[in-house]
């Protein structure tokens, strides 16, 4: 079946602009995660959704970052007033949501470059 | 708070040689342990995971890892590597109270002919 998909695959924006990154999880997966992969910070957790709720948003680096999930499916990560330090690969993952040791399946990522 | 240390940022190895990629973690609670692989320009793919039971875990592509609670380690091994194993490998932990994964900084495995 189809895996996790993300769009766009690449995004170049100017400092100060807002960007929206989209994630389509595997069908039927109730849990969805956003991570960020950057040269300086490695792979960092941003936010976790269970259904449409976000019980853990502890990794969002500032109030410029927000995310939502609708219909228990698609999620959008929004970065307002982008800064150069926001340049990174943003990874989305999903899991069935049922058990503590479940596998998180990752998408290919969105590569964001802020000029 | 939990953390993961991957001691080697790069590991060069010749084809058909054995390899070990090291991972140590710290956590005050019980954890689940994972190894992911990232091939160039691709997303992360699960190699194997340890949840409970036997401390030796076998994964895909001939990889295995051994959980050592006393040494808080979860080293990844393969007895004979192939060129196609060239990739970045990430160790990750998740404690029983959270869903988020905490990743190590990654180890780039470079298999040379």
């Amino acid at each position: 079946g189809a895996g996790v998909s993300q769009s766009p695959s690449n995004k170049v924006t100017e400092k100060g602009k807002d960007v929206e990154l989209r994630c389509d999880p595997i069908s039927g997966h109730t849990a969805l995660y956003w991570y960020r992969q950057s040269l300086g910070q490695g792979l960092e957790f941003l936010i976790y959704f269970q259904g449409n709720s976000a019980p853990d948003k502890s990794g969002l680096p500032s109030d410029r970052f927000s995310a939502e999930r609708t219909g228990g499916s698609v999620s959008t990560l929004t970065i307002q007033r982008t800064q150069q330090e926001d340049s990174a690969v943003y990874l989305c993952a999903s899991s069935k949501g049922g058990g503590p040791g479940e596998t998180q399946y990752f998408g290919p990522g969105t590569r964001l470059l802020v000029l | 708070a939990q953390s993961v240390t991957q001691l080697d940022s790069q590991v060069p190895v010749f084809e058909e040689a054995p390899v070990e990629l090291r991972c140590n973690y710290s956590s005050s609670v019980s954890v689940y342990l994972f190894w992911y692989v990232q091939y160039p320009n691709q997303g992360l793919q699960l190699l194997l995971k340890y949840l409970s039971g036997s401390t030796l875990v076998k994964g895909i592509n001939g990889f295995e890892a051994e959980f050592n609670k006393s040494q808080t380690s979860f080293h990844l091994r393969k007895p004979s590597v192939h060129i196609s194993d060239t990739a970045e490998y990430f160790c990750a932990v998740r404690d029983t109270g959270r869903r988020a994964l905490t990743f190590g900084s990654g180890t780039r495995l470079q298999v040379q002919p």
Side-chain angles (χ1 to χ4, degrees), chain A residues 26 28-32 48-52 69 72 94-98:
Chain A
I26 294 172
H29 280 194
T30 62
L32 186 146
Y48 153 62
F49 286 93
Q50 181 59 255
N52 292 336
R69 190 178 184 196
S94 71
S95 66
K96 286 184 179 178

Side-chain angles (χ1 to χ4, degrees), chain B residues 7-9 22 25 35 41 43 46 63 65-66 68 70 76 80 82 90 95 97 99-102 106 110:
Chain B
L7 296 167
D8 305 301
S9 59
R22 296 180 292 170
Y25 69 93
W35 275 99
N41 299 316
L46 181 72
F63 283 94
E66 186 153 20
N68 188 317
S70 62
L76 181 70
S80 176
H82 302 288
F90 292 92
D95 71 43
R99 294 296 187 93
L101 290 169
T102 299
Q110 297 168 307

Side-chain angles (χ1 to χ4, degrees), chain B residues 41-101:
Chain B
N41 299 316
Q42 293 187 30
L44 293 161
Q45 179 183 0
L46 181 72
L47 272 178
L48 49 80
K49 61 183 177 182
Y50 172 79
L51 305 182
S52 65
S54 173
T55 58
L56 183 63
V57 181
K58 293 190 182 297
I60 62 171
N61 301 340
F63 283 94
E64 62 181 32
E66 186 153 20
F67 170 57
N68 188 317
K69 188 174 182 179
S70 62
Q71 297 186 4
T72 60
S73 67
F74 190 54
H75 300 334
L76 181 70
R77 302 187 186 100
K78 186 169 182 178
S80 176
V81 294
H82 302 288
I83 296 287
S84 59
D85 293 323
T86 294
E88 187 135 22
Y89 292 79
F90 292 92
C91 181
V93 302
R94 205 183 90 214
D95 71 43
T96 54
R98 291 190 74 201
R99 294 296 187 93
L101 290 169

Side-chain angles (χ1 to χ4, degrees), chain A residues 13-19 64 79-83 114:
Chain A
T13 190
E14 294 178 347
K15 178 182 172 181
K17 301 281 189 184
D18 297 353
V19 296
R64 295 186 296 105
I79 310 173
Q80 295 179 310
R81 304 180 303 280
T82 52
Q83 304 294 313
V114 182

Side-chain angles (χ1 to χ4, degrees), chain A residues 22-60:
Chain A
R22 177 187 168 108
C23 172
D24 282 272
I26 294 172
S27 178
H29 280 194
T30 62
L32 186 146
Y33 313 78
W34 284 98
Y35 293 85
R36 179 169 71 172
Q37 186 174 22
S38 59
L39 283 177
Q41 302 297 323
L43 262 161
E44 306 171 279
F45 165 76
L46 297 177
I47 187 169
Y48 153 62
F49 286 93
Q50 181 59 255
N52 292 336
S53 301
D56 187 351
K57 50 180 82 171
S58 62
L60 294 177

